[in-house]
Amino acid sequence: MAKLSAEKIKQSIRDFKPQITTIDRYIIKKFIGTYIVALLVIIGIVIIFDLSEKIDKFVTNQAPLKLIIFQYYANFIPYFVNMFSPMFVFLTVILFTSKMAANTEIIAILAGGISFKRLMWPYFVSATAIVIFSLILNLYVIPPCNKGRLAFEQKYVRKKYTEFSRNVHYQISPGTFLYVQSFAPSNNTAYGFSLESIEDNQLSSKLTANEAQWDSTIQGWKMRDYVQRKYEEGVETVTTGRYKDTCIAVTVEDFYRRRNTVQTLPDGQLRRLIRDQKARGDKDVMFSLIEQNERWSMPFAAFILTLIGVSLSSKKRRGGIGLNIGIGIALSFSYILFMRFAQMFVFSGALPPFIALWLPNVLYLGIAFYLYRIAPK
C-alpha cells in the first residue's frame, strides 16, 4: 500500500501541469506590458534630467556626441534599470491591480470561484520572468556596460586620478606579504616596495627597493636599487644591486583597481577577485562582497514587492488608485533606501555582507506575508 501510494504521488507530480487560463494571460499581459511602459517612460525622464545636469561637463570636456549616446547612455540604461527595478515592479503591480480593483475586475474574479491564492499565480509567473531578466543583467550584461560607462565618466565627467594607491598591503600567499608606499600610474611604478616572507612565525627573507616598475614584456616588476636579506639559522645574508626582475602574484591591474571596479566584473571574475582578496587580506574585499550579494539579493525583491503590491491594491478604494500609488512609491523607495543603509552595516563591521544585503528582503518578506493575510479574500 505504501509503495502504491508513493507511485501515485510520483505520477501526480509528473502529470501536474499548471493551467494558463484566459485570466492568467490577461494578468501576465497587463503586468509585463505595464512594466515595459513604466521602464520606457521613467528612463526617458531620467535621461533628460541627467543630460541637463551633465551637459555643461560634456561641452567643457568636448565629449563626442557618438560617445555620449553609445558609450554613456547606452550603458547607463541597463545600470539604471537594475538599480530601480524593485520600484518599477512595485509601481507596475500597484498601478494595474488598482485599476482592475477600481473596475471591479478583482471582485468578479474572486466571485467566479478563483481563490486569492490562485490569483497570485500569474503575478508570480510574471515576477519570475523579471527576476530571471534582472539576474542576467546583473551577472553578465551590466558589468561590461559599467566598464564603458565608468570609463566615459572618468574621462569626460569626473576629475582624473593622479595617484591610485597609497600604503598598499597585500598577502600574496600564506606567509608572503607585499607593501607599497605609493603607486604612480603615469609610469606604472611602485615606490617604497617591500616583499617579506615569514616561516614558522619568523622572518625568513625581505626584499626592498626604492621603486619597482611594471614590465609588460616579462609580466613582472623591474626593481631599482634593491636590498635582499635572507635569514637562515640566525645568519643574515644581504644582497644589493642596481636592478632586479621579479615575478609575483600582483600585477599592475591590481593598482589600477578602484572600489567601483567591482561593478565592471562579470560573476566569474568577481568570484576570483574575492578569493584573491581574501587570500591577500585586502581590506577592499568588503566592496566586492557587497557587489556580489547585491547582484543576487535585489532581483529576488520582485517576488516580495509583487506580493505586497497585490495585497495592497486588490481592494477597491473610495479615493481611487492615487492612495495606492502613493503607498507604492513610499514602500519601494524605502526598500531601496534600506538596501543602501544595509551597506553601512558592512562598512562598520556590524554585520557580514551576506546578512546585511539579504536583511531588507527578510524584513520586507515579513511585511508581505502580513499584508497577504489581511488582504481581502
Side-chain angles (χ1 to χ4, degrees):
M1 179 66 69
K3 182 178 180 181
L4 181 61
S5 300
E7 290 179 354
K8 286 184 177 180
I9 292 173
K10 292 179 180 179
Q11 185 64 35
S12 299
I13 294 173
R14 287 194 296 267
D15 295 340
F16 176 72
K17 296 179 180 179
Q19 297 295 323
I20 302 296
T21 65
T22 302
I23 294 176
D24 294 333
R25 288 193 291 270
Y26 175 75
I27 293 176
I28 292 172
K29 182 179 178 181
K30 284 278 188 180
F31 196 144
I32 301 299
T34 308
Y35 177 77
I36 294 174
V37 171
L39 278 181
L40 295 176
V41 171
I42 297 179
I43 286 173
I45 295 173
V46 168
I47 287 177
I48 292 174
F49 277 98
D50 187 77
L51 180 61
S52 64
E53 179 185 355
K54 294 185 172 68
I55 191 167
D56 290 339
K57 294 181 179 179
F58 292 162
V59 174
T60 302
N61 296 322
Q62 299 180 348
L65 179 62
K66 182 179 179 180
L67 293 183
I68 294 175
I69 297 174
F70 294 104
Q71 183 176 352
Y72 180 64
Y73 282 112
N75 293 322
F76 173 81
I77 291 174
Y79 169 77
F80 176 81
V81 169
N82 169 68
M83 179 180 294
F84 292 98
S85 180
M87 183 185 71
F88 293 146
V89 171
F90 203 17
L91 291 180
T92 295
V93 174
I94 290 284
L95 187 62
F96 83 86
T97 306
S98 297
K99 189 174 181 180
M100 289 176 61
N103 295 334
T104 66
E105 294 178 74
I106 299 293
I107 296 175
I109 292 173
L110 297 177
I114 296 177
S115 66
F116 193 75
K117 181 179 180 180
R118 177 61 180 81
L119 179 64
M120 296 299 303
W121 166 253
Y123 283 94
F124 277 96
V125 169
S126 304
T128 300
I130 292 175
V131 167
I132 294 174
F133 170 71
S134 184
L135 282 174
I136 292 174
L137 283 180
N138 272 349
L139 300 179
Y140 306 107
V141 177
I142 292 178
C145 289
N146 281 340
K147 187 174 183 179
R149 179 181 61 85
L150 293 173
F152 179 91
E153 289 181 347
Q154 184 62 41
K155 186 174 182 179
Y156 296 107
V157 178
R158 299 174 182 172
K159 294 181 179 179
K160 296 181 180 180
Y161 289 91
T162 57
E163 192 160 12
F164 284 86
S165 305
R166 280 186 177 274
N167 296 323
V168 179
H169 296 266
Y170 279 147
Q171 179 177 312
I172 300 175
S173 61
T176 305
F177 302 91
L178 171 70
Y179 169 75
V180 171
Q181 185 177 9
S182 63
F183 175 78
S186 58
N187 55 1
N188 291 338
T189 301
Y191 296 94
F193 185 96
S194 175
L195 184 65
E196 296 181 353
S197 296
I198 296 177
E199 297 178 1
D200 298 329
N201 296 323
Q202 292 184 349
L203 183 65
S204 61
S205 66
K206 182 174 183 179
L207 176 64
T208 60
N210 290 337
E211 59 185 60
Q213 188 175 37
W214 176 255
D215 190 340
S216 59
T217 58
I218 64 171
Q219 291 294 301
W221 299 91
K222 186 179 292 292
M223 291 181 292
R224 179 181 175 185
D225 297 330
Y226 71 91
V227 178
Q228 186 169 22
R229 291 179 169 86
K230 291 185 178 182
Y231 303 90
E232 296 180 355
E233 299 179 356
V235 179
E236 178 184 11
T237 304
V238 180
T239 305
T240 62
R242 182 64 174 169
Y243 296 104
K244 182 179 179 64
D245 296 337
T246 184
C247 293
I248 57 177
V250 174
T251 66
V252 69
E253 286 79 10
D254 293 310
F255 292 96
Y256 278 92
R257 185 179 295 120
R258 300 189 297 276
R259 291 175 177 177
N260 60 4
T261 303
V262 295
Q263 300 176 12
T264 68
L265 301 178
D267 185 63
Q269 295 182 22
L270 180 60
R271 291 177 183 274
R272 288 193 293 271
L273 174 63
I274 291 173
R275 182 191 61 210
D276 294 341
Q277 287 180 323
K278 286 182 176 180
R280 296 171 180 174
D282 193 339
K283 63 180 180 180
D284 286 343
V285 68
M286 71 173 65
F287 298 99
S288 303
L289 290 171
I290 288 173
E291 177 69 19
Q292 182 187 50
N293 285 282
E294 190 175 39
R295 289 182 183 184
W296 286 93
S297 63
M298 186 170 285
F300 284 96
F303 292 124
I304 300 170
L305 297 179
T306 295
L307 183 58
I308 294 177
V310 178
S311 302
L312 283 175
S313 57
S314 57
K315 182 179 180 181
K316 187 175 181 179
R317 299 182 184 274
R318 183 175 301 176
I321 66 174
L323 178 61
N324 288 338
I325 294 176
I327 295 174
I329 292 175
L331 281 175
S332 57
F333 269 111
S334 67
Y335 172 82
I336 296 173
L337 186 63
F338 192 8
M339 183 67 77
R340 300 306 170 196
F341 271 117
Q343 298 181 7
M344 301 305 298
F345 296 134
V346 183
F347 297 144
S348 63
L351 292 174
F354 178 81
I355 295 177
L357 271 298
W358 284 90
L359 183 62
N361 284 354
V362 174
L363 294 180
Y364 275 77
L365 182 62
I367 296 173
F369 277 122
Y370 171 76
L371 293 175
Y372 174 75
R373 291 188 62 182
I374 66 174
K377 304 298 191 290

